[in-house]
Amino acid sequence: MATKERKGGDDTSIRTKVVGVRLDPKLRYLAELAARKQRRSLSSFIEWAVEESLSRVLLHEGSSYQGDPQISIADQAAVLWDVDDAERFVRLAMLYEDLLTHKEQVLWKLVKDSGLVWLGGYSRYGSSDPDWDKLDREVFPQLRKHWDLFLRVARGEASPDDLPTWEAPKLQKPTFDDEIPF
C-alpha cells in the first residue's frame, strides 16, 4: 500500500495521506454506486466508510455481565491521536501495547529502557492508568527532543549508547518539627 503526503498551496490546508487500496471489481462497483447515492466521490465514500467502521472495531471486548464496557477505536480516538509522532506512539504503547508492530516493539523497549517514560508514566498508588498531565509536563518534551535519535537507534543507524537516560528522582524523607504539639 503506497502512501503519499499532500499539502495544498497555503499554510491553512489540511494534510491528507493518499493511500492506494486494491478493491475487487464487484466491491469497487458497489462502492461507486454507494458513493453516487450519497453524492460523494469514491475517495470520500471510502474515507466515510472507514470512519464509520471504527466504532465496530473493538479494542476491548468487555463483558456486560461484569459491567465492563466495550471500547472501540472510535471511543479511544481522542486519547490515541496526537499530531506529534512521539506522543502518538507512547499513547498507543502505554494503552494497547499488544497492537505494536515488531519494529514498534523494538522502539518501545528502547524508550522504556532509557527510563524516560517511567519517570512519570503512571498514576500513583498502583493504578495502571497513565498520568497524562505528568507525561505532558515531564516526559513528552524530553521524548520529542530525542525522538529522531530513538528512531535511528531502533533502525540500527545509531548505537543504544547514544541514547540519554533518566533516573527517577530520589524521594526525600519528610522532616518533622519537634515543636509541633500533638
Tab-separated table of all heavy atoms in Angstrom, residues 100-124:
chain	number	residue	atom	x	y	z
A	100	LEU	N	1.278	-3.044	18.901
A	100	LEU	CA	2.526	-2.589	18.302
A	100	LEU	C	3.072	-3.613	17.317
A	100	LEU	O	3.014	-4.815	17.563
A	100	LEU	CB	3.583	-2.348	19.397
A	100	LEU	CG	3.291	-1.259	20.422
A	100	LEU	CD1	4.418	-1.192	21.442
A	100	LEU	CD2	3.063	0.091	19.770
A	101	THR	N	3.598	-3.107	16.201
A	101	THR	CA	4.304	-3.970	15.255
A	101	THR	C	5.647	-4.359	15.877
A	101	THR	O	6.063	-3.799	16.899
A	101	THR	CB	4.576	-3.239	13.928
A	101	THR	OG1	5.491	-2.155	14.185
A	101	THR	CG2	3.295	-2.711	13.296
A	102	HIS	N	6.349	-5.284	15.249
A	102	HIS	CA	7.653	-5.689	15.786
A	102	HIS	C	8.606	-4.497	15.864
A	102	HIS	O	9.294	-4.298	16.869
A	102	HIS	CB	8.276	-6.805	14.942
A	102	HIS	CG	9.641	-7.182	15.413
A	102	HIS	ND1	9.852	-7.886	16.579
A	102	HIS	CD2	10.867	-6.917	14.897
A	102	HIS	CE1	11.151	-8.042	16.765
A	102	HIS	NE2	11.784	-7.473	15.756
A	103	LYS	N	8.655	-3.689	14.813
A	103	LYS	CA	9.537	-2.516	14.807
A	103	LYS	C	9.161	-1.548	15.921
A	103	LYS	O	10.030	-0.958	16.570
A	103	LYS	CB	9.484	-1.811	13.450
A	103	LYS	CG	10.169	-2.580	12.347
A	103	LYS	CD	10.081	-1.847	11.033
A	103	LYS	CE	10.746	-2.654	9.935
A	103	LYS	NZ	10.678	-1.991	8.650
A	104	GLU	N	7.855	-1.379	16.151
A	104	GLU	CA	7.409	-0.502	17.238
A	104	GLU	C	7.743	-1.095	18.601
A	104	GLU	O	8.065	-0.363	19.531
A	104	GLU	CB	5.903	-0.247	17.118
A	104	GLU	CG	5.537	0.616	15.933
A	104	GLU	CD	4.038	0.661	15.669
A	104	GLU	OE1	3.323	-0.305	16.042
A	104	GLU	OE2	3.582	1.663	15.088
A	105	GLN	N	7.704	-2.421	18.724
A	105	GLN	CA	8.084	-3.067	19.983
A	105	GLN	C	9.555	-2.809	20.299
A	105	GLN	O	9.916	-2.556	21.456
A	105	GLN	CB	7.813	-4.568	19.927
A	105	GLN	CG	6.349	-4.923	19.928
A	105	GLN	CD	6.110	-6.408	19.687
A	105	GLN	OE1	7.016	-7.227	19.781
A	105	GLN	NE2	4.877	-6.751	19.353
A	106	VAL	N	10.396	-2.857	19.274
A	106	VAL	CA	11.823	-2.562	19.458
A	106	VAL	C	11.984	-1.125	19.942
A	106	VAL	O	12.719	-0.851	20.899
A	106	VAL	CB	12.604	-2.806	18.143
A	106	VAL	CG1	14.024	-2.264	18.226
A	106	VAL	CG2	12.594	-4.288	17.795
A	107	LEU	N	11.300	-0.208	19.300
A	107	LEU	CA	11.364	1.204	19.683
A	107	LEU	C	10.837	1.406	21.098
A	107	LEU	O	11.431	2.125	21.901
A	107	LEU	CB	10.565	2.041	18.674
A	107	LEU	CG	10.519	3.544	18.889
A	107	LEU	CD1	11.915	4.147	18.915
A	107	LEU	CD2	9.667	4.191	17.805
A	108	TRP	N	9.730	0.758	21.443
A	108	TRP	CA	9.140	0.892	22.775
A	108	TRP	C	10.105	0.383	23.845
A	108	TRP	O	10.245	0.972	24.904
A	108	TRP	CB	7.809	0.166	22.839
A	108	TRP	CG	7.062	0.279	24.125
A	108	TRP	CD1	6.530	-0.750	24.842
A	108	TRP	CD2	6.705	1.468	24.833
A	108	TRP	NE1	5.878	-0.271	25.957
A	108	TRP	CE2	5.974	1.086	25.979
A	108	TRP	CE3	6.953	2.821	24.618
A	108	TRP	CZ2	5.486	1.999	26.905
A	108	TRP	CZ3	6.458	3.740	25.547
A	108	TRP	CH2	5.746	3.327	26.668
A	109	LYS	N	10.788	-0.713	23.573
A	109	LYS	CA	11.764	-1.239	24.528
A	109	LYS	C	12.884	-0.227	24.749
A	109	LYS	O	13.317	-0.013	25.887
A	109	LYS	CB	12.332	-2.574	24.051
A	109	LYS	CG	13.346	-3.167	25.018
A	109	LYS	CD	13.587	-4.612	24.767
A	109	LYS	CE	14.634	-5.221	25.673
A	109	LYS	NZ	14.614	-4.840	27.050
A	110	LEU	N	13.340	0.416	23.688
A	110	LEU	CA	14.380	1.439	23.831
A	110	LEU	C	13.891	2.598	24.704
A	110	LEU	O	14.615	3.081	25.571
A	110	LEU	CB	14.797	1.977	22.459
A	110	LEU	CG	15.599	1.039	21.571
A	110	LEU	CD1	15.715	1.611	20.162
A	110	LEU	CD2	16.979	0.782	22.171
A	111	VAL	N	12.663	3.040	24.462
A	111	VAL	CA	12.109	4.149	25.247
A	111	VAL	C	11.974	3.745	26.710
A	111	VAL	O	12.368	4.487	27.615
A	111	VAL	CB	10.756	4.613	24.658
A	111	VAL	CG1	10.083	5.626	25.573
A	111	VAL	CG2	10.951	5.201	23.262
A	112	LYS	N	11.426	2.556	26.951
A	112	LYS	CA	11.266	2.089	28.337
A	112	LYS	C	12.615	1.907	29.023
A	112	LYS	O	12.789	2.312	30.169
A	112	LYS	CB	10.490	0.769	28.385
A	112	LYS	CG	9.030	0.901	28.097
A	112	LYS	CD	8.246	-0.338	28.444
A	112	LYS	CE	8.765	-1.593	27.826
A	112	LYS	NZ	7.906	-2.768	28.061
A	113	ASP	N	13.558	1.277	28.321
A	113	ASP	CA	14.868	1.017	28.926
A	113	ASP	C	15.628	2.295	29.238
A	113	ASP	O	16.486	2.310	30.114
A	113	ASP	CB	15.724	0.122	28.021
A	113	ASP	CG	15.241	-1.317	28.007
A	113	ASP	OD1	14.339	-1.667	28.809
A	113	ASP	OD2	15.756	-2.102	27.178
A	114	SER	N	15.337	3.370	28.537
A	114	SER	CA	16.008	4.645	28.805
A	114	SER	C	15.569	5.218	30.152
A	114	SER	O	16.248	6.062	30.718
A	114	SER	CB	15.709	5.657	27.701
A	114	SER	OG	14.389	6.169	27.838
A	115	GLY	N	14.424	4.755	30.659
A	115	GLY	CA	13.900	5.289	31.916
A	115	GLY	C	13.014	6.498	31.724
A	115	GLY	O	12.404	6.997	32.666
A	116	LEU	N	12.913	6.982	30.512
A	116	LEU	CA	12.174	8.221	30.249
A	116	LEU	C	10.701	8.113	30.589
A	116	LEU	O	10.156	8.927	31.328
A	116	LEU	CB	12.338	8.618	28.782
A	116	LEU	CG	11.531	9.828	28.310
A	116	LEU	CD1	11.945	11.063	29.088
A	116	LEU	CD2	11.734	10.055	26.832
A	117	VAL	N	10.015	7.125	30.068
A	117	VAL	CA	8.574	7.025	30.289
A	117	VAL	C	8.263	6.734	31.747
A	117	VAL	O	7.290	7.223	32.301
A	117	VAL	CB	7.952	5.952	29.369
A	117	VAL	CG1	6.519	5.668	29.749
A	117	VAL	CG2	8.014	6.425	27.936
A	118	TRP	N	9.104	5.980	32.394
A	118	TRP	CA	8.820	5.597	33.777
A	118	TRP	C	9.120	6.721	34.732
A	118	TRP	O	8.831	6.631	35.910
A	118	TRP	CB	9.591	4.325	34.123
A	118	TRP	CG	9.387	3.358	33.011
A	118	TRP	CD1	10.337	2.803	32.231
A	118	TRP	CD2	8.138	2.903	32.474
A	118	TRP	NE1	9.773	2.015	31.257
A	118	TRP	CE2	8.421	2.064	31.377
A	118	TRP	CE3	6.807	3.111	32.804
A	118	TRP	CZ2	7.440	1.440	30.632
A	118	TRP	CZ3	5.829	2.500	32.057
A	118	TRP	CH2	6.144	1.673	30.991
A	119	LEU	N	9.695	7.817	34.229
A	119	LEU	CA	9.910	8.995	35.057
A	119	LEU	C	8.590	9.509	35.596
A	119	LEU	O	8.513	9.995	36.702
A	119	LEU	CB	10.599	10.088	34.222
A	119	LEU	CG	10.753	11.461	34.839
A	119	LEU	CD1	11.746	11.403	35.986
A	119	LEU	CD2	11.224	12.459	33.803
A	120	GLY	N	7.544	9.390	34.814
A	120	GLY	CA	6.268	9.897	35.279
A	120	GLY	C	5.119	9.239	34.572
A	120	GLY	O	4.074	9.834	34.393
A	121	GLY	N	5.301	8.009	34.137
A	121	GLY	CA	4.335	7.392	33.262
A	121	GLY	C	2.985	7.052	33.824
A	121	GLY	O	1.985	7.232	33.164
A	122	TYR	N	2.928	6.534	35.026
A	122	TYR	CA	1.646	6.055	35.525
A	122	TYR	C	1.230	6.795	36.776
A	122	TYR	O	2.046	7.327	37.514
A	122	TYR	CB	1.703	4.547	35.793
A	122	TYR	CG	1.807	3.759	34.520
A	122	TYR	CD1	3.025	3.323	34.032
A	122	TYR	CD2	0.676	3.492	33.769
A	122	TYR	CE1	3.109	2.621	32.845
A	122	TYR	CE2	0.741	2.790	32.575
A	122	TYR	CZ	1.960	2.358	32.122
A	122	TYR	OH	2.036	1.675	30.941
A	123	SER	N	-0.072	6.802	37.018
A	123	SER	CA	-0.617	7.449	38.201
A	123	SER	C	-0.107	6.740	39.452
A	123	SER	O	0.353	5.611	39.398
A	123	SER	CB	-2.147	7.396	38.172
A	123	SER	OG	-2.623	8.057	37.029
A	124	ARG	N	-0.244	7.377	40.573
A	124	ARG	CA	0.221	6.820	41.846
A	124	ARG	C	-0.672	5.691	42.335
A	124	ARG	O	-1.720	5.425	41.794
A	124	ARG	CB	0.231	7.908	42.904
A	124	ARG	CG	1.161	9.029	42.574
A	124	ARG	CD	1.016	10.081	43.612
A	124	ARG	NE	2.344	10.610	43.872
A	124	ARG	CZ	2.714	11.141	44.996
A	124	ARG	NH1	1.887	11.213	45.992
A	124	ARG	NH2	3.927	11.608	45.139
